[in-house]
Structures are given as structure tokens and as C-alpha cells.
Amino acid sequence: MNFAPLPSVDVASVPADGLVLDVREDDEWAAGHVEGALHIPMSDFVARFGEVTEAVSAGRRAYVMCRVGGRSAQVTQYLVQQGIDAVNIDGGMQAWDSAGRPMTTDNGTPAFVL
């Protein structure tokens, strides 16, 4: 069986207005996330798939992120199989944080990667 290589990008390639799809769990999201990201935990993903298709319906690319890239790779593969333009963010939130890209929290506390 032959699998196509998983499309992926480094954090520097994610545009400031890009659609970031964060598939981490609620506690990870609460600790710190990309402002404006769409948060759908991997555990809820199939049930909430309509939210993803709605967000990308305008022909937008989905930049899929988790903590280090494992869960987001699985979700990216699923999205690509559904015909959605999706790429995995290499290194996930850890790489995002290391690159100094902005993060936020919903409660105003300093953001960090859990």
C-alpha cells in the first residue's frame, strides 16, 4: 500500500491570518493557544467535522496543530482524504512557542504550552 506524503509546513510558513485548527484537548487549549484558532479536540473531531468543513468552505487551507505534531498528523491525513486542503504544522505548539509566535489564553493569564 502506498501512502502519499503528509503535507506539512513549519511554523514560520503559517500566515498570520491562516486558519489554525487546534486539535489538542481542553486543558492544553486553556494553557495557551493561537489567537483566532478553531479549537476542536481530536476526541470530538468526527462529531464536530461540520465545523471544519464550514471554516474551510471559502477555499481556505487548514493549518492543523497539536502539541508536537502526532495527533495533528492523523487529523491532517483524515482531512486530506476528505478532499480538504489541510497541512500539518511541524512541531506543533512547541515549535510555535519556540519560534516566538504569539499565543493567548481565554482568561488573560500568561500563555504556555502544556
Side-chain angles (χ1 to χ4, degrees):
M1 193 168 259
N2 200 359
F3 290 102
L6 186 71
S8 61
V9 297
D10 62 24
V11 293
S13 301
V14 179
D17 63 348
L19 171 63
V20 175
L21 174 59
D22 191 325
V23 299
R24 298 174 303 147
E25 294 305 313
D26 291 338
D27 58 339
E28 295 173 287
W29 169 268
H33 55 267
V34 177
E35 191 164 0
L38 175 60
H39 179 227
I40 301 179
M42 187 173 167
S43 56
D44 297 342
F45 199 78
V46 174
R48 295 177 60 190
F49 183 66
E51 291 175 53
V52 178
T53 57
E54 204 172 285
V56 297
S57 63
R60 295 178 76 190
R61 165 173 279 179
Y63 294 88
V64 190
M65 172 184 285
C66 65
R67 185 168 174 262
V68 293
R71 288 170 287 179
S72 55
Q74 293 176 55
V75 171
T76 300
Q77 190 169 34
Y78 176 76
L79 290 172
V80 169
Q81 288 169 346
Q82 308 307 311
I84 291 173
D85 182 8
V87 292
N88 189 36
I89 298 176
D90 282 335
M93 281 299 291
Q94 288 187 332
W96 187 273
D97 188 29
S98 297
R101 300 283 309 250
M103 297 189 306
T104 189
T105 59
D106 293 335
N107 62 8
T109 59
F112 67 98
V113 178
L114 186 63

